[in-house]
Amino acid sequence: TLDLSGSIYISDKALIFALQALSSLRVLVLDGCIALTDAVLKSAAEYTPQITLLSICGCPQISDRGLSPIFSACNRLQHLHLGYSGQVSDQTLARAAHDCKYLEAVHIPLCANVTDDG
């Protein structure tokens, strides 16, 4: 488990460096890490494909583009928490439903771009 909740100053570069050494990581919690971008999720997909829980609530710079590689690479993903993420949309949910066969729970409160279609 790596829980960096509220680490508002953590940078993409620092986290990507850490992820390279955490190939067996199963739980990644980045809630409130406002400086992180899609680059972190692309690296997480590459270096930590065993993730079963991803929580990125309150990460305003994370978008559908960053989540797409996670869904492709982390095929054991079971829990996805995306609340308060303004750039996440219905496209994210459709991709998760298609790619993540083990997905059990999706938490999406206050995602402005997620509609009933999602």
Side-chain angles (χ1 to χ4, degrees), residues 28-56:
L28 181 58
V29 181
L30 303 173
D31 298 343
C33 295
I34 59 174
L36 297 180
T37 70
D38 290 336
V40 164
L41 295 185
K42 291 175 186 174
S43 293
E46 180 179 351
Y47 299 119
T48 58
Q50 301 302 318
I51 290 175
T52 60
L53 184 148
L54 175 64
S55 186
I56 54 167

